[in-house]
Amino acid sequence: MSATALREAAAPRRVAGLMPIMGVVFVAFLVIGVAMPVLPLHVHDGLGQGTFVVGLVAGSQFAASLISRPWAGHFSDRSGSKRGVIVGLLAAAASGLLYLTSLGVTNTPLASVSILLLGRGLLGAAESFIITAAVSWGLALADARSTGKVIAWVGSAMFAAFAIGAPAGSMLYAACGFAAVAIATAVAPLLTLLLVVRLPAVPPLHHPTRASFAEVLGAVWVPGLGSALGSVDSARLPHLSRCCSRTADGPMDGWPIPLTPPPSSWPGCSSAMWPTRSAARRSRWCVRQSKPPARR
């Protein structure tokens, strides 16, 4: 049998091996997606805060994710991908408990917002540990020719979670309020943890020399900038959800925020998304400027 035929025969086994890891990523980003459309409503309507505080609470998760990324990668490299995933799942569950705690002090909005900020920050750190360790885990299970496929499959799980989590969060919020979102955020990672502890761990790779932070940054900053610019419109989702949920006709009836907005809100939603084309052009320029690393 030829080498090509052997690789094709092994492909289904590699995909099957990635399924648990994809499940972990799916759950991690599901709890993120569940809160995305309803958090602005809870902070604005439930706690009576203005748009600045809404943006602060929504953005604190992504700021924490950015800050914690290097430590998450270092931990995964030194302690193993499985431990990194476990730490991330525990942190995600703890963020759900902080969400619940914030509901106990809603009569003091400043205290409730402060606890929410802690929960969002912890969820951002959890996301860093989970996605970094999960990708490392998947790459360790696959051969060098399947690197792109591993990243694609893990990314598919991430965006599927966003697509499902946002309307699910809207329905939970409409039915039971923010408490249902908090409980889901706390319980889902713990249930996933039961799956992860049964999986065989992949030993961490020990290299005699490691690239410095400056070397890594120099290798990835151009495509990374392109990816960041391509995600500019995601940062505007809180404002988009607000303009779609409060229209001239009052609160939206039956229109899930992350899906197509009601027609009466199209003008406001369109103005909320104006930077998207500019960001897309800049991200395409960054991709064209990036060069593949030289082979050693």
Side-chain angles (χ1 to χ4, degrees):
M1 184 179 292
S2 65
T4 302
L6 288 173
R7 287 196 298 269
E8 292 177 352
R13 292 195 297 270
R14 287 196 295 269
V15 173
L18 286 175
M19 291 302 292
I21 299 172
M22 292 170 60
V24 171
V25 173
F26 178 83
V27 172
F29 284 88
L30 184 68
V31 299
I32 294 173
V34 161
M36 282 178 64
V38 303
L39 195 66
L41 300 176
H42 171 65
V43 175
H44 186 274
D45 299 342
L47 300 178
Q49 301 301 302
T51 54
F52 173 77
V53 177
V54 170
L56 184 65
V57 173
S60 58
Q61 175 200 322
F62 304 104
S65 179
L66 175 66
I67 295 171
S68 61
R69 265 304 198 271
W71 285 274
H74 184 68
F75 182 88
S76 179
D77 288 343
R78 291 190 57 132
S79 303
S81 303
K82 181 177 179 178
R83 290 185 180 180
V85 168
I86 290 174
V87 169
L89 289 172
L90 290 174
S95 71
L97 295 178
L98 286 173
Y99 283 2
L100 282 173
T101 303
S102 72
L103 292 175
V105 291
T106 52
N107 56 337
T108 309
L110 182 59
S112 184
V113 167
S114 299
I115 297 173
L116 265 180
L117 282 171
L118 290 176
R120 295 290 291 170
L122 193 57
L123 185 59
E127 183 261 326
S128 284
F129 275 84
I130 291 173
I131 191 63
T132 304
V135 171
S136 299
W137 201 345
L139 292 175
L141 294 176
D143 56 43
R145 295 183 180 88
S146 302
T147 299
K149 293 179 181 178
V150 170
I151 296 175
W153 279 105
V154 172
S156 298
M158 179 178 70
F159 286 105
F162 278 142
I164 296 174
S170 299
M171 290 186 290
L172 285 174
Y173 185 79
C176 305
F178 192 69
V181 174
I183 293 172
T185 304
V187 172
L190 294 178
L191 294 177
T192 309
L193 192 61
L194 299 178
L195 167 67
V196 173
V197 295
R198 297 173 177 270
L199 298 177
V202 176
L205 296 176
H206 296 285
H207 298 284
T209 58
R210 289 184 179 273
S212 66
F213 178 78
E215 291 174 333
V216 175
L217 183 63
V220 304
W221 79 269
V222 173
L225 180 62
S227 178
L229 291 172
S231 303
V232 166
D233 55 326
S234 297
R236 302 179 64 85
L237 279 176
H239 175 69
L240 181 62
S241 66
R242 287 293 306 154
C243 78
C244 290
S245 62
R246 291 293 179 267
T247 66
D249 301 326
M252 55 193 251
D253 297 322
W255 287 84
I257 288 174
L259 302 180
T260 305
S264 56
S265 69
W266 284 350
C269 293
S270 299
S271 66
M273 298 181 68
W274 70 267
T276 303
R277 290 185 179 180
S278 176
R281 287 195 297 269
R282 289 181 174 87
S283 64
R284 287 195 296 268
W285 178 85
C286 289
V287 170
R288 288 195 297 267
Q289 297 302 313
S290 63
K291 298 178 180 179
R295 295 181 179 271
R296 295 184 177 180

